[in-house]
Amino acid sequence: MATLGTHNGKKSRKRAAGGLRLDLPVHGKSTSDLEHSEATMSELGEKSNSVAEGLALSDTKAAPSTPAHPPTSPGGLHMREPFFLKLHSLPENDSDEEKVRREGTVSNPLSAPQYTQSSSLPSTDFKRQDTWFYIQESHRQRVESESEGVPPVTTSTEKTPLLPGKTESKTESFKRHDSDNGPDDCFAAWWANMATCCSAYTCKVADDTKSKLNTFKVVLISVALVFICVIFTVAPASDVHLSQFAVSADYGVSINLTSESLTPVLQVTVRGPFLNTDAAESPSWQNCTFYVRRLHANGSMQTVSDKWALAMRDEADIAGMITDELSLSHNFDIALDQSDSATYQLVVESSASYLASMLMSYANVMKPESVQVVYAAIILVGVYVLIIFELVHRTLAAMVGALASIAVLAYMRQRPTLATVMLWLDFETLGLLFGMMLIVAIFMETGFFDFVAVEAFKRAKGQVWPLITTLCIFAAVFSAFLDNVTTILLLVPVTIRLCEALNLDPKHVLIAEVIFSNIGGTATAIGDPPNVIIVSNAELTKKGVNFITFTMHMFIGSVIACVVAYGHLRLMYRRRRYLQFKDPPEIVEIEHEINIWRRTRESLVYGTRDAERIRLILKTKAAELEQLKVEKLAEMQKSIVVEEDFQTKLANLQEEYHIQNKSLLIKSCAVLGTVILLFFLEPLEALHLSLGWIAIMGSIVLLVLADKEEIESVIHKVEWTTLIFFAALFVLMKGMEKLGLLNFIGQQTADIITGVEGESRRLLVAIVLILWVSALASSFIDNIPFTTAMVSIIVQLADDPKVGVPIAPMVWALAFGACFGGNGTLIGASCNVVCAGLSEQRGYRLSFGEYFKVGFPMMIVSVTVAMVYLLVCHLVIGWNGPYL
């Protein structure tokens, strides 16, 4: 009597089965084991086919009593013992069949009937006539397994084949076994199995629907993209004209416009000694006026556009070179008359007593500014639809949006050249990201981040919230004095390792760190890019807004916001299970490893033999892990999970994670410390270095010191997807700016503030409106160009004597809104995108919806705290000046 056995992890179950022994191997066997398995199966005269093709016994030859292994997939995937393997040797009479069912034995193993292709392991797509028999056999198999204490094997592709040599109908067999179990149990089992069949059919329908929707999505996006490319291809080149001249009260300028290409909209950009306000609202009597007029054949003239009047600076300011020249733009709506062969002129007149020099560019635009704003809004909404519903990767969505904005600009006869588009990129930010990613990639090879994670786990004694609190405080404090992107780059590796040790989902903790990084960066003038733009503005500097005054006002509000945000975070994650994975740790680890293998396989270069061989090995490894996950789930249904105590877990972590390369660690610490020190000293005028240059130089020095023979391994660790996303986002936001969307938002805000009666009420409306508009806008568009546009609006409001609103409260409201608003969405701030990219690189993909559930409510809470703080300071206390 031989044994028919299976391995389940480290345990095995053996069953008597006349004269034949099948030992199913444990997962993780070596390649030699697989070869031995194939050789043994060949000796038995059996064929090992893939799961998709099913199992077929070759013939009825006598099988020697030699240990054999079960069938494997083409990649060596071991299959756990399903029901049909128990029936590989079946008798021809009912008594023997019953013996197989109840005891797992056969009287004559050499008389096993042949299996054909039709009796092999079928897929989920089974036929309707097999449904009842499938219910019967599935229920019987589950009853046997539960009675023996063995968890049943349930796979989505398994169906019990019809017993060979039997002629009774499926319905009769079903009734016969039902009568043995009793009517109540039979009905319950029938109903449960019927639900299982319906669920399988529903899953199949859902998969078909998903496939059709995916095809529709690809077709729809492809059609839209082709339409965008056609517009960009056929749109005429931009006809921008440049002109430099000087005007005064005694000397004006008239420029003839080309009538052939003249459109109803003329866009004019002028640079000269202007004030950032309209001439009608300025106390200065010196101004410069622009308008378009029509010259008829009889010599008469007619103004056919509005007049654009700009206030000019005093001659003393220009002579002393106190301030820089200002660049302003305006769109003229021209009343064209196509029936008349008149000549159109752009007229520039001045009332200044001195001769003022200026540079002007003008171009014909197809549509008015209001239509351009609508186009820009449609593009922005389309990009967010692609990102929110994850129709495509966020990087691809940003690239499509950037191309669409350029196509619309080309259609508006503002087609930028490729060199111009390259100038739209913020190379300072890209250089900072690239350099720090290289430094962190080399630093990770030392094992330092793993060592720090284990030490933090030891100090916190395995407690969750002390660790999360420490990480949030670290992120907030370092982001106040260091760039928050650099802070996140250093924190992400440590955080992921800590969460894996504590069985926490790293995505939740990373979101918390990003939120506190943005809040902490608001406290100082160098913590966040919008703050740098505000402090470095020449107009605001003249009005007393500098590093000291900015930090003095913003620090208190940021600390209060951090405290309230932490309380809100504790409330959201008040139970530990909200932070943990939904699946057991073993399953999460297997799924994470499967994701890593798949990403590695997809990153290999196509076309080489070695790459194809490695790709096949990785595919096999992922398939083995999928099967292992199924077995683990089956084990856990019948077992009790005992969690490791703190000391055992700490000992295991200390044994696994330690410093791996002390020499490289010393070099990396020296370079990283120097880079961070230079970051702090960057504002000094003696250092002619920017953050980007510091990071790039540090990465080059560390590459030389590391002495890497294969530099490709380090370059491959750079998150290129994130860098490309930022590049596409910069182009997209510049396109939104060119189409007038950002200026439209700022101008509408200014108009609402100006229309409020009463100075105190106007200050209240200005603080609340600027704060919330900045927060909501910064959640969905890049806060850097938006802050640049809003600074000009705020300066214009402060210089208008009719408004009478002090500039300091509006500046603080803009800073709080732009920085706190970045927490609203996944792409609201730079460190959000960097964190998501690094997390995805390590196998934990952070989706837009997952971040939005936590980030947007946290943004609402923090902005509300900032609003209360500003209202108390400026309406109750009256702290309206830049100083105390």
Side-chain angles (χ1 to χ4, degrees):
M1 186 75 66
T3 305
L4 180 67
T6 60
H7 287 266
N8 188 1
K10 295 182 179 179
K11 299 179 181 179
S12 63
R13 177 170 55 90
K14 298 184 179 180
R15 177 184 298 176
L20 186 62
R21 175 185 179 90
L22 282 178
D23 291 331
L24 302 186
V26 183
H27 286 273
K29 292 293 184 181
S30 62
T31 307
S32 60
D33 295 330
L34 300 180
E35 295 174 353
H36 172 69
S37 174
E38 295 175 358
T40 307
M41 294 294 289
S42 176
E43 294 174 2
L44 290 172
E46 299 176 348
K47 294 183 178 180
S48 176
N49 297 330
S50 64
V51 176
E53 297 175 352
L55 178 65
L57 296 180
S58 59
D59 48 30
T60 58
K61 296 180 179 180
S65 57
T66 307
H69 290 282
T72 60
S73 68
L77 172 59
H78 296 284
M79 298 300 299
R80 194 183 169 192
E81 179 191 18
F83 171 72
F84 71 89
L85 279 181
K86 302 176 186 178
L87 305 179
H88 69 284
S89 180
L90 294 174
E92 298 182 357
N93 50 58
D94 290 340
S95 61
D96 287 341
E97 178 191 335
E98 291 295 329
K99 195 172 183 180
V100 172
R101 289 179 173 174
R102 303 304 179 188
E103 301 178 7
T105 62
V106 294
S107 59
N108 184 12
L110 302 181
S111 61
Q114 294 186 7
Y115 272 69
T116 61
Q117 185 67 23
S118 60
S119 63
S120 61
L121 179 64
S123 63
T124 307
D125 188 15
F126 49 84
K127 300 179 181 179
R128 291 181 178 270
Q129 57 265 29
D130 294 336
T131 301
W132 294 105
F133 189 67
Y134 171 73
I135 295 174
Q136 171 237 347
E137 296 298 343
S138 298
H139 173 62
R140 184 188 56 74
Q141 179 184 353
R142 185 170 64 254
V143 171
E144 287 184 359
S145 300
E146 290 177 353
S147 63
E148 296 172 3
V150 179
V153 179
T154 56
T155 58
S156 60
T157 60
E158 179 180 340
K159 186 190 76 170
T160 304
L162 182 64
L163 295 177
K166 295 300 296 177
T167 58
E168 71 172 339
S169 65
K170 302 178 179 65
T171 306
E172 292 176 352
S173 176
F174 180 73
K175 291 180 179 179
R176 181 169 60 82
H177 288 286
D178 286 346
S179 61
D180 297 338
N181 298 328
D184 295 337
D185 294 340
C186 175
F187 179 76
W190 175 83
W191 184 259
N193 285 283
M194 196 65 186
T196 302
C197 294
C198 294
S199 177
Y201 178 76
T202 304
C203 292
K204 180 180 182 301
V205 174
D207 291 341
D208 294 341
T209 304
K210 184 178 180 181
S211 177
K212 293 178 181 179
L213 290 177
N214 185 69
T215 303
F216 176 75
K217 175 200 73 173
V218 174
V219 171
L220 184 62
I221 297 177
S222 300
V223 170
L225 192 59
V226 169
F227 178 72
I228 291 172
C229 294
V230 170
I231 292 178
F232 182 73
T233 303
V234 302
S238 177
D239 56 347
V240 179
H241 302 275
L242 299 176
S243 180
Q244 188 172 10
F245 51 84
V247 294
S248 66
D250 300 328
Y251 182 75
V253 175
S254 299
I255 302 174
N256 291 332
L257 303 176
T258 305
S259 58
E260 291 81 5
S261 59
L262 191 61
T263 60
V265 181
L266 181 68
Q267 186 180 63
V268 176
T269 302
V270 61
R271 183 179 182 86
F274 304 112
L275 295 173
N276 193 16
T277 181
D278 292 336
E281 301 174 351
S282 174
S284 175
W285 58 271
Q286 301 179 116
N287 60 74
C288 185
T289 306
F290 300 79
Y291 63 92
V292 179
R293 68 185 179 188
R294 181 191 296 132
L295 296 179
H296 295 279
N298 57 7
S300 60
M301 295 181 296
Q302 179 185 3
T303 302
V304 293
S305 72
D306 59 315
K307 291 189 176 182
W308 182 34
L310 298 176
M312 302 183 66
R313 301 186 184 277
D314 294 335
E315 186 176 6
D317 294 341
I318 300 175
M321 300 181 65
I322 297 178
T323 56
D324 297 330
E325 293 182 338
L326 187 65
S327 180
L328 300 172
S329 298
H330 183 73
N331 289 347
F332 292 97
D333 295 329
I334 306 174
L336 295 178
D337 187 1
Q338 302 294 343
S339 61
D340 187 10
S341 60
T343 302
Y344 293 86
Q345 292 181 336
L346 176 60
V347 181
V348 183
E349 298 176 348
S350 176
S351 61
S353 58
Y354 62 93
L355 197 62
S357 176
M358 57 189 68
L359 177 65
M360 183 180 66
S361 65
Y362 59 93
N364 297 304
V365 181
M366 290 295 296
K367 301 292 182 180
E369 185 175 2
S370 58
V371 178
Q372 297 182 40
V373 171
V374 173
Y375 288 160
I378 292 174
I379 294 173
L380 194 61
V381 170
V383 170
Y384 268 91
V385 167
L386 295 177
I387 295 177
I388 291 174
F389 295 99
E390 297 185 354
L391 300 178
V392 296
H393 195 275
R394 60 178 175 272
T395 302
L396 181 57
M399 294 170 66
V400 172
L403 180 60
S405 63
I406 295 176
V408 172
L409 287 174
Y411 174 71
M412 297 293 175
R413 293 193 179 182
Q414 304 179 53
R415 184 192 191 102
T417 63
L418 184 58
T420 303
V421 173
M422 295 301 295
L423 293 177
W424 292 353
L425 304 181
D426 189 352
F427 289 102
E428 194 68 35
T429 301
L430 296 177
L432 172 64
L433 291 173
F434 176 74
M436 291 305 301
M437 285 178 181
L438 282 177
I439 293 176
V440 172
I442 298 176
F443 208 174
M444 287 186 63
E445 297 181 2
T446 64
F448 177 78
F449 294 116
D450 299 336
F451 174 77
V452 171
V454 174
E455 288 299 316
F457 179 80
K458 178 180 178 181
R459 302 291 180 185
K461 297 182 178 179
Q463 299 298 316
V464 174
W465 275 108
L467 281 175
I468 296 178
T469 304
T470 303
L471 291 173
C472 291
I473 293 176
F474 183 89
V477 173
F478 269 70
S479 296
F481 303 99
L482 190 66
D483 184 78
N484 52 10
V485 173
T486 304
T487 303
I488 291 299
L489 283 170
L490 297 175
L491 272 179
V492 167
V494 177
T495 302
I496 291 179
R497 189 65 71 195
L498 274 173
C499 292
E500 290 174 346
L502 292 171
N503 189 28
L504 301 178
D505 190 348
K507 293 182 287 187
H508 298 295
V509 184
L510 291 176
I511 291 173
E513 290 177 357
V514 166
I515 290 173
F516 280 89
S517 178
N518 287 325
I519 296 177
T522 313
T524 64
I526 61 174
D528 223 5
N531 300 358
V532 178
I533 294 174
I534 292 173
V535 175
S536 59
N537 185 269
E539 294 291 333
L540 295 179
T541 302
K542 286 177 55 179
K543 299 180 184 299
V545 177
N546 51 36
F547 183 91
I548 297 177
T549 58
F550 186 94
T551 305
M552 187 186 304
H553 285 78
M554 300 293 294
F555 183 79
I556 301 175
S558 299
V559 172
I560 298 174
C562 279
V563 174
V564 177
Y566 180 77
H568 182 68
L569 185 70
R570 292 295 299 264
L571 181 63
M572 293 182 67
Y573 296 111
R574 54 189 176 273
R575 297 187 179 180
R576 178 169 178 173
R577 69 170 183 267
Y578 297 156
L579 294 168
Q580 291 178 330
F581 290 105
K582 296 180 180 179
D583 296 324
E586 294 84 353
I587 303 302
V588 172
E589 184 178 356
I590 293 174
E591 291 178 346
H592 182 239
E593 189 174 352
I594 292 173
N595 190 18
I596 294 297
W597 288 123
R598 287 176 177 172
R599 285 175 55 88
T600 306
R601 185 186 66 192
E602 294 172 358
S603 64
L604 294 176
V605 180
Y606 284 87
T608 62
R609 180 181 301 177
D610 294 338
E612 294 298 330
R613 185 181 297 112
I614 296 175
R615 187 176 289 107
L616 180 60
I617 295 174
L618 296 178
K619 183 178 180 180
T620 303
K621 180 64 176 178
E624 291 179 356
L625 290 173
E626 288 284 0
Q627 179 65 17
L628 179 60
K629 184 177 72 172
V630 174
E631 295 187 358
K632 286 289 185 181
L633 286 173
E635 279 186 32
M636 292 176 181
Q637 291 176 358
K638 296 294 183 179
S639 61
I640 301 176
V641 180
V642 180
E643 188 175 355
E644 290 181 323
D645 60 350
F646 168 70
Q647 295 296 337
T648 303
K649 186 179 292 185
L650 178 62
N652 294 335
L653 291 175
Q654 289 177 338
E655 181 180 357
E656 183 177 0
Y657 302 118
H658 50 81
I659 299 299
Q660 301 174 0
N661 192 333
K662 294 184 179 180
S663 175
L664 183 59
L665 175 62
I666 296 174
K667 299 174 184 177
S668 301
C669 289
V671 173
L672 183 60
T674 304
V675 168
I676 294 177
L677 178 62
L678 291 176
F679 282 165
F680 282 106
L681 300 178
E682 186 265 340
L684 299 179
E685 296 182 358
L687 295 177
H688 302 286
L689 292 175
S690 61
L691 298 180
W693 275 116
I694 294 173
I696 291 176
M697 289 191 301
S699 63
I700 295 175
V701 172
L702 186 56
L703 281 172
V704 174
L705 294 177
D707 193 19
K708 304 289 292 186
E709 295 182 0
E710 296 182 359
I711 195 174
E712 291 85 0
S713 60
V714 179
I715 300 297
H716 183 71
K717 296 177 183 178
V718 174
E719 186 59 34
W720 294 105
T721 305
T722 302
L723 295 179
I724 296 174
F725 172 81
F726 274 109
L729 186 65
F730 292 145
V731 176
L732 174 62
M733 290 298 110
K734 193 65 176 181
M736 298 296 101
E737 181 182 353
K738 291 289 184 180
L739 292 173
L741 179 62
L742 303 183
N743 186 65
F744 173 79
I745 296 175
Q747 195 60 51
Q748 293 298 316
T749 304
D751 293 342
I752 295 175
I753 295 174
T754 306
V756 177
E757 299 293 337
E759 185 174 342
S760 60
R761 294 179 58 190
R762 193 177 296 118
L763 176 59
L764 170 65
V765 172
I767 292 175
V768 175
L769 193 62
I770 292 176
L771 177 65
W772 283 102
V773 168
S774 302
L776 294 175
S778 298
S779 295
F780 297 95
I781 61 178
D782 190 9
N783 53 14
I784 296 177
F786 178 79
T787 303
T788 304
M790 284 299 297
V791 164
S792 301
I793 301 287
I794 289 175
V795 172
Q796 182 177 348
L797 288 173
D799 291 341
D800 190 352
K802 297 180 181 179
V803 178
V805 176
I807 193 172
M810 294 189 291
V811 172
W812 316 143
L814 174 62
F816 275 122
C819 295
F820 287 178
N823 285 327
T825 63
L826 184 62
I827 63 175
S830 301
C831 63
N832 305 15
V833 181
V834 172
C835 179
L838 294 176
S839 177
E840 185 175 358
Q841 190 182 44
R842 286 159 177 80
Y844 301 99
R845 184 177 182 183
L846 180 59
S847 66
F848 186 94
E850 289 175 327
Y851 183 91
F852 189 81
K853 292 177 183 178
V854 181
F856 197 81
M858 192 71 74
M859 184 270 290
I860 298 296
V861 171
S862 59
V863 173
T864 303
V865 172
M867 181 184 67
V868 174
Y869 167 73
L870 291 174
L871 292 179
V872 171
C873 290
H874 301 288
L875 288 180
V876 179
I877 301 178
W879 189 16
N880 295 330
Y883 300 98
L884 289 173

